[in-house]
Structures are given as structure tokens and as C-alpha cells.
Amino acid sequence: MITAERKPIEEILEYLEPYDRILLVGCNECVTVCAAGGRKEVALLSSALQMARMKSGRTLEVREMTLERQCDPEYVEELVNFIDQAGAVLSMACGCGVQEVARRFKDKPVFPAVNTKFMGASERQGVWAERCQGCGDCLLGLTGGICPIARCSKRLLNGPCGGSTDGKCEISPEVDCAWQLIWERLKALGLEKRYEDIISAKDWRTSRDGGPRKIVREDLAS
Amino acid sequence: MDHFSPVIVAFCCHYCAYTAADMAGSMRLSYPSNVKIIRVPCSGKVSALHIMRAFQKGADGVYVAGCLEGDCHFKDGNIKAAKRVAYVKKMLDEIGIGGERVEVIRMSAGMGERFAQSAKDFTERIRKLGPNPVRAVLNQRESAGA
Amino acid sequence: MNNKVLVIGGGIGGIKTALDLAEAKRDVVLIDKAASIGGLMTLLDRTFPTNNCDLCTVSPHLSESGRELHIELMTLTQLTRVEGEAGNFKVTLKTDPRFIDPAKCTACGECHKKFPECVRFTPGLDHRAPTCMRYPQATPYAYSIDMTRCRNIEALVEVCKDGAIIPDDIAKVVELDVSAIVLTPGAALFHPGILENFGYGKYPNVVTSLEYERILSASGPSLGALVRPSDGKPPKKIAWIQCVGSRNTNQVAAPYCSSACCMFALKEAIVTKERFQNDIETVIFYMDIRTSGKDYELYYQRAKNEYGIEFVRSRPHSVIPVGETGNLSITYSTDQSDMPLKDVFDMVVLSTGFQVPADLVELAGRLGIQLNEHNFVETRSFDPVSTSREGVFVAGLFQSPKDIPETMVQASAAACLASNYQEAIKEADKTDDEYPFDEEEELPSERDVSGEEARIGVFVCDCGYNIGGVIDVDRIVEYAGNLPGVAVSEMVGHGCSREALAHIREVIVEKKLNRVVMGACSPRTHETLFQDTIQRAGLNKYLLEMANIRDQDTWVHSDTPEESIDKAKDLIRMAVSSAALSRPLTDHLLPMNKDILVVGGGVAGMSAALNLADKGYKVYLVERSGTLGGLARHIRRTLEGDDVQRHMSDLIQRTINHENVQVLLNAVIVDHSGMPGMFRTGIQSGPRLAYRQINHGATILATGALANRPREYLLDEHEAVMTQLDLDGFIEDHPDRVKAWHNVVMIQCVGSRCPENPNCSRICCQSAVKNALRIRKLNPEANIFVLYRDMRTYGFQEDYYRRAREQGVVFVRYGLEDRPSVEAGEDQQVEVSFYEPVLGRKITCLADCLALSTGFVSDDESTEDLSAIFHLNRTVDGYFLEDHVKLRPVDLSVPGFFVAGTAHSPKDISESIAQAQAAAGRAQTLLAKDVINLGASVARVDGEKCAACLICVRICPFDVPFINADGYSEIDPAKCHGCGLCAAECPAHAIQLMQYEDQQIMAKVDSLLEGIL
């Protein structure tokens, strides 16, 4: 899932400074699951913003809406009846959602209320960790199901480096060395030999280096 | 501000604090009347939003009263409640309302005296902090307008 | 089949017995010779040690017994004849004329408006009037007339517009078949007029403790104002004289101790002090303060140290009036005074004890049961509620003088034993004509209120003085009437009274109400009662909301009535806003597991287990040690001389051989889950600590207490020094050595009533008396000194204390400031020095035996572990804390858990057995139902909103939610415990906890804070 984290309220307040009525839009997908922008977070932020405004002697009218998925135009269309009353839109979705709203309502300022962080998995209740960078050419089949691009600080394709100590990365004792993990996993699978194989330099054009990407499914595309 | 009588919402767990409040009643232990109890089945039922909403509507203080550590009828609802209150404290600090206006208080069902004393202590704390800034601004405006 | 139990006496004990039997699905005929039930307790203003208003605590019980399906109530009724035998008695009951038809009487009060002096029952303070309603919530709610006192019958008949007065009403006689009889007729209070030296009856300001109670009572003659009878002035100095009619060998009085009067006087003095603080002086004249009940000693210490009540150890000689002032002079002497002392008081309260009235002696005669020398019912140590006639049981004061909690214990015990003579009734077997007195109807079908706009009825109680005495209830009613959605707003007096409940029902139907708000007391105590009421009016019970304007408002803000009114308005407004959003819910039901887990294999545990096993229940008896028996295995004799070990070996044999009892030795409890009717407890037992789980429906805790063994007075250092428990065995095992003793000294309260263990151990005074008498029997020449602080030989133990003194045992009082000292002497003796207050000097005695009365300490470690595993509450000193110290002394705060024996508080074997029988009886009432009602407060998921994030799955303390095949979270209502953690944490707001939905909580917050910004 895409993970996100609420921005500092002060920053959000600065965006909203000129406006007295806003539409606060959440998303019932990834950001709900990572507790950053679902119905509940929308309600909490709405309450906090209104209070902060009242404290400075002004009011802020907030209409709360949480869409099933903010990155799909059909769902975003649900905002159409409410958009006119709002001076601006504050989105609690990931960057995709924010942009979809901005694309649909061209004359309406749209601000992000969360920082979109990474594609990750939940390690346990309340803890999410990065797992994928969307490089466009998955090599998990070679690395025992552990991604060196997302999880090695240096994105080494053949590791570990000299900074690996006791299974931890030199950048922080909190961070596991991805290559240590890969080695252990391969060993457990009895595939130590695969570790010997050199992974050749990666063609990064499938990643962001090839410019903004798009997927087109001919059979589905209209 | 001498006459400031804070409005305090106390979310009380049915199994301990609410019972302790009744106990304070049967022991005729007086406490400030500005503390208003909302009964919940467990302090862990109190959502961050309930607390935020109370402040938004003008409450000067909120406390969540749950069972003693290890005594939760639902295993660890009281611990969850404490974490949630800590989260709300940060949020209140962030918007300048002040995290010290919200607290977790623990007691057992038999502690009528602790209930009354906590109500007094918390009221005193809020009295010192003064009114909820949201309310203060409005009051100032009113008096300025008048 | 003959399936009824006859309960004689409708005081609090009889009501409890009847309720327990009814809950266990037995039919009960409850008779009382008075015009309404309630007995002595309903005359009290407050009860110790909580100082609560009794009427409020007990009134739901009264209504309950009025409503209860299995109870047939016959007032003004007495037993005239009994034939047959246990299981098959034929009884004849005579009902005196009421002269009022209860069916027609609306309790309008017109008849006694014409007789203005006769509204309330005030024993001894005013004359009984022709029409008498004993107290406001009298059940049944109808008046009765004493025709012999009526001068103008015609005028009286005409007063009643409903024609309810029947001047020529006659007595009715019925014969009934019953299988068992329980006697709970209470006792009378000693009439102190006979003792001329106190001037009762001559001087108006000398009153009995019950009269004083009525003067304090809100429903009493002075409406709760403390004024003295002679001139209506508030008294400034009051004296209590203890033991009036008790501990008195004067022929007209009683030699035994009445057990409850010390606490009674302490309570009255404390309540007086509470109301008037420093404006009033209170002095208690006493012989021994006998506060040996659970936590009673702490109450005594508070009375002395916090409230400043003065205690004078003296039995006053006389009470003499001071001129025409109405004041009274008390003459008395103390240990310290050579000359008689005098002190003047505005009022004197005589703490009168209990006596068996002549009509009860006659009743016992009719029943053919034996009475003891004091005319109380003879019972045996190991069978404390059985009379000499099989199938006839006794509970409460008629068995021996006692206080309310002990009466409640015995009442449940008697119900447990009496229920052995019938089978539980299946509801389907009941036919209407078998229940001529049954006014109950089937629950009406629920009215569908969906789609209706809220029509809320607000009913505000004044609860006598409790609410109405602090705030103007009319103002609240008026205020509530203007709140949105409120269709009706009314005051209902005592809302929990039978009459008020009937009225509420009518209004709901008449005004088509679809929500109800009770401005009343705590939902903890009264919610089920009011839910039941609205159900009977065709509403779903969850359409009720309570505003706790008594316990959490008027009781705590009585000194600031305006603030109290404002708060009451807030609380009502909050309740109305939430009620408007409430919705009909369905309770979830599960089958009941009827097995029982008994923890602790001592006397109490085995007694409880056997009682249940005999009834056919499967019992698991878990004992921590390798043998059954507990502490009582070391006791040889009771005070009465009964052989404890013989009873013990019989108990153990029956327990291990009973086909329904499974004993697990060397067993510890390690985990626990579930709810009443379906508990699951993990146990490790046997030499290898094998783990197993037991499924059970109820749990009885009988884990006992520990024999205290403090390191004091050379205990365990010198062979002449032993505890009373050691001595008990020593006398039995070494009579020759006892015969050789010259001097024996006993020291009381060693390790009790001290800072480390502030409570009284209750049993040590009788142990000392018991052992002193046994030594005296073996060795008439020995000098025996008992050094004590207060001799607490309550009830008939006083007889033995008296006997000991008659036989030359010397009792010497010591104070904490002047404790005896002990040093090792020569020839295996110890040198005991103590101050003799009568001689006024120190005495040193070379003792061959020094027995220390060390009493009990709680088994702190066990109760701590178990309370953590079972989520139970404990007292500060480590005993299990019952649900209500007065009225539910056997039930623990977690439903399905009961306590028996010394795990509850120090007590003797007989008291432990009574509580074990009571616990068995209480467990039986729980298990009588075939289903468990889980209530309706469960979490519900809106699948449309659910993002399947798993937060609920992970947060649930009981692992209930799961993501179902449709891809959203599902919560099984049968497993949900209703804590609401998932609802509070759900990031999609997809989960709501029924009864506590977010919109309801928010509505409360919003309405509370309405208008603040």
C-alpha cells in the first residue's frame, strides 16, 4: 500500500490562510489503512483546524468527505456538488489523489494534508515500513523475496557493503542490512549458490529515469 | 478570571471510575459540579475524536478515567486509552490549545475518595491554565463588542 | 407436585430468601403479619458502614419481589397450623382483614388526609393512627386500617372515592401444600421502659436508637430535621448508652450480646456529626466496642479519630432530668474515677438490643422447633440455618442477634437448603389458575418505533429527600419539558416504587412515547428495573437513557443547590440528546454451562461443593495444597464444644467420594476467560503441574485466610508462648501438662487492630474464652488472666464469656498505650507484666503458658493473584471485596463469582458454612437459567465503510473480529465483550458499539457544551 503521514498542522494552516470554507477530502484506500487519511483522520484534522482557527479569532467551515478512492475520476466526481461552496480543497489522500482532484477541478486550489511516504507493508499495528520503490523491473526472484533497491540504503545490487555490521546497516542500528537478510533467506531456501551470481547493472529506464511512466492495457483501454 | 468555572468532561469507565463516582456519591464526598461524567464501557472506548470534539465545542478540560493498571475489565483497554490520550495531547499542543488540558486518571471502583479528589485536582489544574483558548478569544471578542 | 416454599416474615432476610428461591425457579409464598413487607431495615435512615440511605438501596429489591413471577405475597397473614413432614407440609394461613381492597385502593392519600397525624410509621414517637402506611414505598402499595381505633367508621368509608374501604372485611383462612419452610420473622427490639433507671417513657428526650433513626430519617416525623421530642429544639449534646437490654442478667433484659448495636450507635453518631459537624457533641457510653465485622474496626477508628466522637467506657447508673429544661443528667463511673461522675445532655439515645417476642415463641411451638435458652431458634454449629425439624430453616435475627449482611448470608443459605425439596419449575409448566395472585402478564410485543420522530418521556424522581431535598425537581421537570423531542416531562416521586413504575408504563402507552429518560439514580443499580418497565409498556429496553442526578449530583452537591440544579439540567439535556439517537437492540443469547468451579478445599469450599453436588451439579474443587481441610484441620473444638475434626473427616470423605465432585489437588489457577455461564479457567495441577482447562458457568472462591503468626511476645522463641490455635490442640493432646499449670495468661489482639493489620480478627475473643473454659475444666486451680482491649463475644458467645468470669477467669483490660510486656523467666516460664486498671498498678505474673490471640491475616498473595486473573476487587487488607457490603455479601463484583468463608473476612466455622451454603445458593440462582444473556452492547461493522485495514482485528483484546469472505471485518456478537476498542480505533469509522454509538456520545458532548461558545 501507499503510506502517508499527516503534515504538521501549522503547515496546513498556512495553506488555508486565505480561505474560510474548505472541502476536506479523505480516501478509504491506502491512507485509511495506514491511519493517515481515512474518515477518522479527516474528522480529527477537521476538528483541530477549526479549533486552531477559532483560537485566532476566525472561523473555518469544513465539509468532510471521504471517497472510496481518490485516485479514480468517478469517485472524485462525487465532489462536484460540494466543490463550489468551498474556497479550497484539502486532501488527505496520497499524492495521486491530490492530483486527481486538482485535475478534475481546475479552478480550485487543492492542498495536500499528508506527506505521501512510500510503498510499504505494516510490520505490526501502527508500524509501516518501506518495501518497494516501483523500479519497473522486479528482481525479487533473484534476491530471495527481499528487495535490495527498497531496503538497502545504497540500493546495491550485489551486497553487502563494508558498512554492514551484525546484520545492521551503518546508517542506523535500527535498519536491517538488506543483504544480510537476503543471504539468510537464500541460505534457508538452500539457494546459497544464487548469491554467487552477479546481478548485472540495472537498466533504470523502467524506473523514474525514463521519465513519467504510464501503463496501457490495450484490451481494457477505451 | 477569579470567577472562572471551567467546564470539564470526564469520560468514565463503567467498571471503575463511574462506579467510584457513585461511591463518592454514597459517601457524600463533594467535588466540583463543573465536572460532567459521560459513561463509557471502557476507557479504551473513548476515541481521540470525542476528546477533540469536546475541546472544539468549548470544554476547558477533558479527562478519561479508567481502571488501575492491570485491572482493566477488557485486559488492556485502559493502556490503549492512555496511548490515545498521549496522541491527543500532542495534537492539542500543535494547535496551541495545550496538551495539559487532557489527562488519564486511574482508579478502582472502590475509590470514591480518589474520584472526588481527582475531580478537585483536575479542576484546580484547569483553573490555573485558564479557559480553553478558543473560548477565551470568543469571550474577548464579545466583551470587546459590548 | 408440591413445589412451594413458605417464607415467614417479609423483612430484608425474607425478601432475600424469596428472591433467591424465585430466581432458582422455585415458587414462594411470602407471608408477613404486617400490612406491608420491609421489616426493620426499611425503618432505618442509613446503614453502616457505607452510611447509605437504606430505602434507596432496598427499594428496588422490594419492587423486585412484588414483580417477581414466582413470589406470592400475603400480608397481614400468619401461620396457624402446620402438619406433615419435610417435602410435604400442609400449612394453614390466616389473613387478617385489611379493611381496604388493595385492588381498588389507588393510594391517593385522601383517607389519611382526614387523619393528618397518621401519614407515616414512627414507632413510639406518635400513636398509631387508624390508617397506616408504613413507609412511602410500601409493598403492596395500599393502605390498611386498624378498625379498633376508628371512632367514626362511616366518615372513614365516605372519604374513599374509589370505595376501597371495606368496614366489614373479615379474616380469610387458606390451606397450602408446601415442601419447605423458611423462618425469617426477625426479632423485636427490647422495650427499655422496664428499666426504670433510664427514664424511658418518662422523659421525652430519652429515645431508643430506632426512634433516633426515625428522627434522622427524611421520611420520619420531623422530615429529617434533628430536633428533640420535648421542645423541637436541635440538640447540642447527645449521649448513647449501649447494651440497653443486652448483656444484662437483670431478669427483664437479655444476657446475650445483640451484636449490631455498637455499629448502630457509631453510625448514628457519625451521621449526626456529618450533618452538624462541630455544632454537636456526641458521647457513647459503652462496655466493649464490638466492631468485629468486615472493616467495621476501621469505621470505629474513623468515628473516634476523624469525627471526634467521644467514647466513655462505662455502663451508666441512671438518667435524671435537669429541672424543667428537658436536659438529662447521666451518672456514671469509670475505671479511673473513684467518685461517680455526672454529665448533662440534651438527648439520650438508648441502644436497645434484640429480643424474641412472645408471638414468635408461639410460632416456634406451632412449628415444633426447638428454641435455645434465650428463645432464639436452636441451630447446630455445622448446620447453622437448619432447625430441629427437617425441612424447616431459619435465617436472620430469629436465629441469633446479627446485622444485615449476616442476615443476607443466612437468607441465601436457607434458600439454598430449602430448594432441595422441590424441582426447578419449567416455565412452560405454569398455568394461570395455579397463580391466583399473579398479576403478571406476558411481555407485550415490541412496538416498532423506526421512522417515528423522537417522542421522549422524561421522568424525574425526587427520591424522597435524596434529590427533592436538594433541588427543586419541578424546575428540572419544566426545563426538560422544553428540550427538543421531549413529549412528556413529569415528576415521579420515588420512580422505583411499584406505583410510579405502573404510572410510567401508562404514560408511555397513553402518550405514545418512543424514548424514555429517567432523571434518577445510577444506571448501575436501577437500569434493569426501568428497562423492564418500558419493556412492559411495549418499548425496546434500549430506548431508555438514565441521567444520574442523585449519586452524581444531589448527593455530592447538596451544599450548593444552585450548582446542583444546573448540573441536573445538563445531565438531563445530555440524556435526552442521546436518547433521541438510541435504537432498538436485541440481546444475544447463549446456552449456559452449569458446572461450577470451587477454588479452595477448606470447610467453606467443601461445604459449597457438596451442597451443589447434592443438587446434581458437576463441581470441580481446586485445592492449592496436597490435602483437603484448610485451616480448620488444626482446630479441635468450637466454643460450643463441638468436635471439629469429626465433622472435618466426614466432609472430606463425602467430598472425595461424591460422584459429582472432581477434586484437583496441588492445583493452581493460571488463566481465565469467558463470562458468567461460560467461563474457561486454566489450571495446573498434580506433581507435574499438568495444564488443563475447565469450562464452568459459575465460580466460588473459598480460598480462606492465614493464621496470623506475628513475631511478638517471644512467639516461636519460647516454648511457653503459643497461639490460641496451638493451645486449642495442646489442651486436647497434653491434658496432663495443662493440669500442672499454675498461671496462664492470654493476650488478645496480638497482630490485629494494630497498624500492620488494622481490622479485628473476630474469632480471637471467643477462642480465648473457649480455651480458658477448657483449661478451667481440666485445672480448676490455675490462675487464668485474659488481657484484652474489648471483649468481642458477640451474640450467644457472651454466655461463655459470662461463664468464664463466673468460673474465676480474670479479664484485664489494656490500652494500646499500655501494652503488656513479656520476658523469658525461669523454669520454662515467661514473665508477663501488665497494668491492672482497677487496682491501678502494674502486676507481674510468671506464666506457664502464654497464649497469644493472633487471629487471621488475609492470604494476600493468593487473593492478589486470583484477583488479577479473575479481575476481582479486594479490600485494602487483602480480602475479596463483595459487590455490596450490605445487601450482596456473597456476590463478588464480577457476575458469576461468589465468595465464602474467610477469604471474605475473618469468621468462625459456623459462619463460614453459612456463607458456603449461601454461595452455593447464589450460584444455583445464576445457573437456573438455561441461557446466558450477553446483552446488546456489541460492536457492529458497516461493511460498506470498512477498508479491511485489520486494525480492529489486531486491537481486539479477545481476538473476535476477522476479515470475512466478502472482504470486510466481521464481529461475532456472541463473542464480542463490548469494550468498544475497535470502534474507537477504526480509521474508517466503520464500527459502532451499540448503546454507545459515536453519534450518541457526540450528542452528549455537544449538548453538554451547548451555548458555551
Side-chain angles (χ1 to χ4, degrees), chain A residues 83-100:
Chain A
I83 199 84
D84 288 344
Q85 294 101 301
V89 177
L90 182 64
S91 168
M92 294 200 88
C94 66
C96 315
V98 179
Q99 292 180 63
E100 189 51 35

mmCIF file of all heavy atoms in Angstrom, chain A residues 83-100:
data_model
loop_
_atom_site.group_PDB
_atom_site.id
_atom_site.type_symbol
_atom_site.label_atom_id
_atom_site.label_comp_id
_atom_site.label_asym_id
_atom_site.label_seq_id
_atom_site.Cartn_x
_atom_site.Cartn_y
_atom_site.Cartn_z
ATOM 1 N N ILE A 83 -18.152 21.295 -4.435
ATOM 2 C CA ILE A 83 -16.893 21.993 -4.697
ATOM 3 C C ILE A 83 -17.091 23.500 -4.729
ATOM 4 O O ILE A 83 -16.239 24.257 -4.283
ATOM 5 C CB ILE A 83 -16.258 21.455 -6.011
ATOM 6 C CG1 ILE A 83 -14.779 21.815 -6.058
ATOM 7 C CG2 ILE A 83 -16.988 21.981 -7.232
ATOM 8 C CD1 ILE A 83 -13.911 20.857 -5.335
ATOM 9 N N ASP A 84 -18.271 23.944 -5.233
ATOM 10 C CA ASP A 84 -18.472 25.374 -5.407
ATOM 11 C C ASP A 84 -18.492 26.151 -4.100
ATOM 12 O O ASP A 84 -17.999 27.269 -4.023
ATOM 13 C CB ASP A 84 -19.792 25.629 -6.154
ATOM 14 C CG ASP A 84 -19.656 25.222 -7.612
ATOM 15 O OD1 ASP A 84 -18.487 25.056 -8.050
ATOM 16 O OD2 ASP A 84 -20.678 25.045 -8.279
ATOM 17 N N GLN A 85 -19.060 25.504 -3.070
ATOM 18 C CA GLN A 85 -19.146 26.219 -1.784
ATOM 19 C C GLN A 85 -17.779 26.384 -1.139
ATOM 20 O O GLN A 85 -17.603 27.199 -0.261
ATOM 21 C CB GLN A 85 -20.050 25.449 -0.790
ATOM 22 C CG GLN A 85 -21.498 25.379 -1.190
ATOM 23 C CD GLN A 85 -21.809 24.026 -1.808
ATOM 24 O OE1 GLN A 85 -21.193 23.662 -2.815
ATOM 25 N NE2 GLN A 85 -22.752 23.307 -1.225
ATOM 26 N N ALA A 86 -16.813 25.559 -1.557
ATOM 27 C CA ALA A 86 -15.515 25.572 -0.885
ATOM 28 C C ALA A 86 -14.545 26.509 -1.584
ATOM 29 O O ALA A 86 -14.472 26.538 -2.819
ATOM 30 C CB ALA A 86 -14.947 24.170 -0.843
ATOM 31 N N GLY A 87 -13.770 27.249 -0.774
ATOM 32 C CA GLY A 87 -12.728 28.097 -1.344
ATOM 33 C C GLY A 87 -11.552 27.268 -1.802
ATOM 34 O O GLY A 87 -10.849 27.637 -2.744
ATOM 35 N N ALA A 88 -11.334 26.158 -1.131
ATOM 36 C CA ALA A 88 -10.204 25.302 -1.482
ATOM 37 C C ALA A 88 -10.507 23.883 -1.057
ATOM 38 O O ALA A 88 -11.403 23.651 -0.260
ATOM 39 C CB ALA A 88 -8.930 25.792 -0.792
ATOM 40 N N VAL A 89 -9.711 22.961 -1.625
ATOM 41 C CA VAL A 89 -9.843 21.569 -1.230
ATOM 42 C C VAL A 89 -8.590 21.177 -0.461
ATOM 43 O O VAL A 89 -7.481 21.530 -0.857
ATOM 44 C CB VAL A 89 -10.015 20.649 -2.457
ATOM 45 C CG1 VAL A 89 -10.072 19.189 -2.022
ATOM 46 C CG2 VAL A 89 -11.247 21.030 -3.247
ATOM 47 N N LEU A 90 -8.783 20.480 0.684
ATOM 48 C CA LEU A 90 -7.652 19.918 1.409
ATOM 49 C C LEU A 90 -7.794 18.411 1.297
ATOM 50 O O LEU A 90 -8.825 17.852 1.669
ATOM 51 C CB LEU A 90 -7.715 20.367 2.872
ATOM 52 C CG LEU A 90 -6.574 19.906 3.777
ATOM 53 C CD1 LEU A 90 -5.248 20.491 3.320
ATOM 54 C CD2 LEU A 90 -6.854 20.313 5.229
ATOM 55 N N SER A 91 -6.782 17.780 0.737
ATOM 56 C CA SER A 91 -6.891 16.343 0.502
ATOM 57 C C SER A 91 -6.023 15.565 1.477
ATOM 58 O O SER A 91 -4.868 15.929 1.706
ATOM 59 C CB SER A 91 -6.460 16.012 -0.924
ATOM 60 O OG SER A 91 -6.302 14.613 -1.061
ATOM 61 N N MET A 92 -6.597 14.510 2.024
ATOM 62 C CA MET A 92 -5.817 13.641 2.919
ATOM 63 C C MET A 92 -5.398 12.363 2.205
ATOM 64 O O MET A 92 -4.921 11.418 2.839
ATOM 65 C CB MET A 92 -6.596 13.302 4.187
ATOM 66 C CG MET A 92 -6.855 14.513 5.063
ATOM 67 S SD MET A 92 -7.234 14.068 6.770
ATOM 68 C CE MET A 92 -5.608 13.984 7.522
ATOM 69 N N ALA A 93 -5.568 12.346 0.872
ATOM 70 C CA ALA A 93 -5.143 11.174 0.112
ATOM 71 C C ALA A 93 -3.651 11.284 -0.188
ATOM 72 O O ALA A 93 -3.020 12.293 0.106
ATOM 73 C CB ALA A 93 -5.935 11.087 -1.176
ATOM 74 N N CYS A 94 -3.115 10.249 -0.812
ATOM 75 C CA CYS A 94 -1.728 10.312 -1.249
ATOM 76 C C CYS A 94 -1.625 11.309 -2.406
ATOM 77 O O CYS A 94 -2.634 11.843 -2.866
ATOM 78 C CB CYS A 94 -1.260 8.936 -1.699
ATOM 79 S SG CYS A 94 -2.124 8.371 -3.184
ATOM 80 N N GLY A 95 -0.435 11.525 -2.893
ATOM 81 C CA GLY A 95 -0.233 12.469 -3.974
ATOM 82 C C GLY A 95 -1.109 12.190 -5.182
ATOM 83 O O GLY A 95 -1.549 13.125 -5.880
ATOM 84 N N CYS A 96 -1.393 10.932 -5.469
ATOM 85 C CA CYS A 96 -2.214 10.589 -6.626
ATOM 86 C C CYS A 96 -3.610 11.187 -6.480
ATOM 87 O O CYS A 96 -4.170 11.766 -7.412
ATOM 88 C CB CYS A 96 -2.364 9.085 -6.782
ATOM 89 S SG CYS A 96 -0.834 8.181 -6.571
ATOM 90 N N GLY A 97 -4.149 11.049 -5.270
ATOM 91 C CA GLY A 97 -5.490 11.552 -5.009
ATOM 92 C C GLY A 97 -5.519 13.066 -5.134
ATOM 93 O O GLY A 97 -6.429 13.638 -5.748
ATOM 94 N N VAL A 98 -4.535 13.703 -4.527
ATOM 95 C CA VAL A 98 -4.483 15.171 -4.565
ATOM 96 C C VAL A 98 -4.507 15.630 -6.012
ATOM 97 O O VAL A 98 -5.260 16.523 -6.408
ATOM 98 C CB VAL A 98 -3.206 15.686 -3.874
ATOM 99 C CG1 VAL A 98 -3.133 17.202 -3.941
ATOM 100 C CG2 VAL A 98 -3.154 15.207 -2.427
ATOM 101 N N GLN A 99 -3.689 14.971 -6.846
ATOM 102 C CA GLN A 99 -3.571 15.396 -8.236
ATOM 103 C C GLN A 99 -4.835 15.112 -9.036
ATOM 104 O O GLN A 99 -5.202 15.868 -9.925
ATOM 105 C CB GLN A 99 -2.379 14.704 -8.890
ATOM 106 C CG GLN A 99 -1.072 15.190 -8.317
ATOM 107 C CD GLN A 99 0.118 14.506 -8.960
ATOM 108 O OE1 GLN A 99 0.341 14.641 -10.151
ATOM 109 N NE2 GLN A 99 0.842 13.760 -8.159
ATOM 110 N N GLU A 100 -5.491 14.032 -8.685
ATOM 111 C CA GLU A 100 -6.717 13.708 -9.413
ATOM 112 C C GLU A 100 -7.777 14.768 -9.136
ATOM 113 O O GLU A 100 -8.489 15.209 -10.033
ATOM 114 C CB GLU A 100 -7.219 12.307 -9.013
ATOM 115 C CG GLU A 100 -8.369 11.780 -9.859
ATOM 116 C CD GLU A 100 -8.123 11.847 -11.356
ATOM 117 O OE1 GLU A 100 -6.967 11.655 -11.791
ATOM 118 O OE2 GLU A 100 -9.090 12.123 -12.103
#
